[in-house]
Amino acid sequence: MASESLEKELECSVCLNLYTDPVTLRCGHNFCWDCIDQVLNTQDESGVYSCPECREEFQERPTLKRNITLSNVVENFRCNHGDNSSILCTYCIHSPVPAVRSCLQCEASLCDDHLRVHSKGPEHVLTDPSTSLGNRKCSVHKEVLKYYCTEDAACICVSCYLIGKHNGHKLESLDEAIEKKMEKLTNILQKLITNREKAEKRVQSLEEGRRNAQEKAAGKVSRVTAAFRHIRRSVDDLEKKVLSEISREEEKVSLSLSDVIQKLEIKKDELSRKMRHIEELCNMTDPLTILQEPDYIGDLCDLEEDGGDEDTGGHDGGDEDTGRHAGGEEDIGGHDGGDRGADLISQISHKLSSVIRDINVIFYVQDPADILLDVNTAHNNLLISDDLKTVTWTEIRQNHPETAERFQYYQVMSARGFTSGRHYWDVEISGSGWWRVGMCYPSIGRRGGQLYIGDNNKSWCLYGEHENKQYSVRHARVVIPLPQQISSDGVRICLDYEAGQLSFYELCDPIRHLHTFTAAFSEPLHAALYIYEGSIKISAWSRR
């Protein structure tokens, strides 16, 4: 009996079960956290909060504080007595028999036998077996709780409505109130499920974005690694070339100077021999002997002249020229060596500039420009694809209306123009005819003999003939032939509007710079294509 009394003291008056995470209100009554939280939620609409047990009202929503002591007591009770899930019949005192129903009026649980003889009066309300039958009655009138007061959000008995403080309030049956409550909870649950699904989709989207960012970063790392590997290879090749050139120049100068030194040594030996002979003559006392000796002065002059011509390579100037050539310092370092050094520096600068341009085009902008062709400008022998990305020459004339903006020749331009920023777009060229790719102002003429792109001052282009393997860049009818052939079918066009630069690259491995135009752009620049016996496809080209 003591355990039953204690169990009743540990029951929440809302859910009629042992406290779960108990909290205490200011009035001193205890409830499960979830139970009192739901009750207070229902009172939010009215703005009046009260204790479900004593009806004490609060000006503000009560702050819930856990009752640690009570929580420990409940846990100890659970451990010592376990869950009383099997409710026994109150009237079977000789042997325990499980109850099948409980009577709220009698506050007793009934087995099948006692249920058959139990009163069938309307006041005897039967429920599922419960050990907390007293909590299903009004604490004031001791009557069964049958109604729900919507104004006070409380379960009440008949007397509470007729003579109690709920007199005149709007009532609902408990079943109706429970149905509405369940409907409300169902709606809340559905909203929570929807919000959770949205959160899951958002998480999936963010995860996909993170994976895309990682893949893009990995791609950039690969491109940077390849680009710098190309830079290092190019610099190493330049270093080997320069060092080889220096060694070759050194060997050439050394051989030249060795030849001059050898000749001067021979001349020096001859002069020494003659000097010794003349000294001997000067020391003789016999005048006849001296006078009978050949005249060496003329031979000496001949020797000097022969030596000078030989040392200078046939140039006049005697010892002065010989000294300059023999020393090699002024002649070699001042003219030939200086020119070759300047040439080497120019070659290195040009090569590094080419490498830098190649790197710049690889990382020109993050994404290619979205180029769509304008059908209204296309010549009637040009067929534009449905995605506005490919132009094909055809012998079948299209039935497009003749307008002022349509080209008279096999040309088409893009709908979009660029007035700022850095952009690039790639094309794939197929066929055996003639083609031009480039950019033009929207004010370019559409009729006349000089209106091909590149043949006027309002357009710039790269020109090619697949059959004859002839390639050039053109602007204002100025043709600049390209020194090398284009082996790839892919071309990249890069625009830096503010810098006034329009560059063309061949999409090979590594990417190769072809030419850069420099101009002060004064109008929007549109992509422009010319094709005869072939097709041009605008694509996001990938390097192979």
Side-chain angles (χ1 to χ4, degrees):
M1 295 296 293
S3 62
E4 293 180 1
S5 177
L6 177 59
E7 183 177 2
K8 289 185 178 182
E9 291 295 326
L10 298 178
E11 287 179 350
C12 172
S13 61
V14 177
C15 65
L16 304 180
N17 294 318
L18 292 178
Y19 291 118
T20 301
D21 198 9
V23 295
T24 304
L25 299 182
R26 290 201 301 266
C27 60
H29 292 107
N30 301 306
F31 304 93
C32 298
W33 180 290
D34 291 338
C35 294
I36 190 61
D37 189 58
Q38 291 180 7
V39 172
L40 295 176
N41 287 340
T42 60
Q43 297 175 353
D44 282 338
E45 297 178 357
S46 62
V48 178
Y49 303 95
S50 61
C51 172
E53 194 157 343
C54 69
R55 300 302 173 185
E56 180 179 343
E57 295 184 353
F58 309 101
Q59 295 296 328
E60 297 179 353
R61 177 169 177 146
T63 302
L64 303 181
K65 296 182 180 179
R66 288 184 172 85
N67 191 327
I68 304 300
T69 302
L70 181 58
S71 179
N72 293 334
V73 172
V74 172
E75 288 299 320
N76 291 331
F77 182 85
R78 291 182 188 275
C79 293
N80 294 329
H81 298 83
D83 290 331
N84 191 13
S85 57
S86 178
I87 300 175
L88 303 178
C89 178
T90 305
Y91 300 108
C92 294
I93 59 177
H94 298 292
S95 61
V97 178
V100 295
R101 300 291 284 174
S102 295
C103 178
L104 299 181
Q105 180 67 26
C106 301
E107 295 187 15
S109 297
L110 309 170
C111 63
D112 285 331
D113 295 336
H114 290 98
L115 180 61
R116 282 193 291 268
V117 299
H118 189 264
S119 174
K120 302 299 189 292
E123 68 276 6
H124 292 272
V125 179
L126 298 176
T127 64
D128 292 332
S130 175
T131 58
S132 305
L133 300 177
N135 293 330
R136 302 294 297 272
K137 289 186 176 182
C138 176
S139 59
V140 178
H141 304 101
K142 304 303 180 183
E143 296 180 7
V144 178
L145 300 175
K146 294 183 177 181
Y147 302 100
Y148 180 76
C149 178
T150 58
E151 296 185 15
D152 297 331
C155 297
I156 62 174
C157 64
V158 176
S159 298
C160 288
Y161 176 70
L162 296 176
I163 60 174
K165 61 179 182 179
H166 298 282
N167 181 261
H169 290 183
K170 184 178 180 180
L171 301 182
E172 292 178 352
S173 66
L174 289 182
D175 292 339
E176 183 181 359
I178 291 173
E179 184 179 356
K180 290 183 178 180
K181 180 74 172 190
M182 293 302 295
E183 183 179 358
K184 184 177 180 180
L185 292 176
T186 302
N187 293 334
I188 294 175
L189 178 61
Q190 187 61 43
K191 290 180 180 179
L192 293 176
I193 293 174
T194 302
N195 291 336
R196 186 182 65 180
E197 291 176 350
K198 290 181 179 178
E200 290 177 351
K201 291 181 180 179
R202 180 60 176 164
V203 169
Q204 292 176 358
S205 176
L206 293 176
E207 289 288 348
E208 184 178 356
R210 182 171 64 180
R211 286 194 298 270
N212 292 338
Q214 292 173 347
E215 292 175 359
K216 184 175 288 187
K220 289 183 178 180
V221 169
S222 176
R223 292 165 60 193
V224 169
T225 303
F228 278 93
R229 184 165 55 246
H230 175 61
I231 291 176
R232 285 190 291 269
R233 185 167 61 248
S234 300
V235 172
D236 290 341
D237 292 343
L238 282 175
E239 181 184 10
K240 292 177 182 178
K241 182 178 180 180
V242 172
L243 293 177
S244 176
E245 186 70 18
I246 292 174
S247 298
R248 191 178 68 81
E249 287 296 320
E250 179 188 8
E251 183 179 0
K252 180 179 178 181
V253 172
S254 178
L255 290 175
S256 176
L257 292 179
S258 296
D259 185 56
V260 173
I261 291 172
Q262 184 179 4
K263 293 178 180 179
L264 288 176
E265 289 290 345
I266 295 172
K267 178 180 177 181
K268 187 179 71 171
D269 292 341
E270 181 68 18
L271 290 174
S272 297
R273 185 182 63 77
K274 290 184 178 295
M275 286 172 59
R276 287 193 301 270
H277 185 68
I278 292 174
E279 288 176 353
E280 292 176 358
L281 291 176
C282 291
N283 293 328
M284 290 183 179
T285 58
D286 186 4
L288 294 176
T289 303
I290 297 173
L291 293 174
Q292 290 176 355
E293 284 293 326
D295 192 354
Y296 288 102
I297 296 175
D299 295 340
L300 180 61
C301 294
D302 293 340
L303 180 62
E304 289 177 353
E305 291 176 1
D306 293 340
D309 291 341
E310 183 179 13
D311 291 340
T312 59
H315 296 292
D316 293 333
D319 291 337
E320 184 178 357
D321 289 341
T322 302
R324 282 200 303 268
H325 190 72
E329 201 166 324
E330 180 180 352
D331 217 13
I332 296 171
H335 179 69
D336 184 62
D339 290 344
R340 296 200 63 83
D343 291 341
L344 286 175
I345 293 173
S346 177
Q347 292 176 13
I348 294 171
S349 176
H350 176 74
K351 182 65 177 178
L352 288 178
S353 298
S354 177
V355 171
I356 292 173
R357 280 196 301 267
D358 293 346
I359 299 306
N360 283 340
V361 73
I362 294 174
F363 304 102
Y364 202 78
V365 289
Q366 185 176 7
D367 296 306
D370 187 17
I371 302 294
L372 299 178
L373 299 177
D374 186 357
V375 180
N376 294 326
T377 65
H379 184 266
N380 270 314
N381 282 90
L382 297 182
L383 180 64
I384 308 300
S385 62
D386 293 337
D387 62 357
L388 305 180
K389 293 283 188 179
T390 303
V391 54
T392 304
W393 182 86
T394 176
E395 294 181 352
I396 303 175
R397 189 173 179 84
Q398 307 299 305
N399 294 324
H400 297 309
E402 292 291 346
T403 60
E405 55 186 342
R406 191 172 305 283
F407 282 107
Q408 185 181 7
Y409 298 104
Y410 307 136
Q411 296 183 158
V412 62
M413 60 187 288
S414 67
R416 178 184 181 184
F418 301 100
T419 57
S420 63
R422 307 174 71 196
H423 313 274
Y424 80 87
W425 52 288
D426 300 342
V427 296
E428 183 178 358
I429 305 165
S430 60
S432 59
W434 298 271
W435 53 266
R436 302 186 188 206
V437 295
M439 306 199 82
C440 68
Y441 291 152
S443 61
I444 185 174
R446 311 305 163 99
R447 284 162 175 74
Q450 300 178 4
L451 298 183
Y452 290 105
I453 55 174
D455 287 352
N456 49 72
N457 60 1
K458 295 188 177 184
S459 59
W460 299 257
C461 81
L462 172 66
Y463 171 87
E465 294 183 29
H466 274 315
E467 184 176 359
N468 299 325
K469 302 298 182 182
Q470 295 181 0
Y471 304 95
S472 61
V473 289
R474 304 185 177 197
H475 171 65
R477 305 198 72 184
V478 176
V479 178
I480 303 175
L482 295 179
Q484 295 178 331
Q485 291 186 359
I486 298 178
S487 58
S488 171
D489 292 331
V491 173
R492 173 167 293 181
I493 300 93
C494 295
L495 169 66
D496 190 338
Y497 195 94
E498 283 79 7
Q501 291 184 343
L502 180 63
S503 303
F504 297 89
Y505 296 82
E506 180 185 2
L507 289 174
C508 52
D509 191 8
I511 192 169
R512 183 165 67 95
H513 175 257
L514 299 176
H515 187 78
T516 295
F517 287 108
T518 301
F521 301 128
S522 58
E523 295 183 39
L525 281 173
H526 293 249
L529 305 175
Y530 167 91
I531 187 67
Y532 175 71
E533 292 186 349
S535 66
I536 300 177
K537 178 182 179 181
I538 300 172
S539 63
W541 192 272
S542 59
R543 296 176 59 202
R544 295 185 292 269

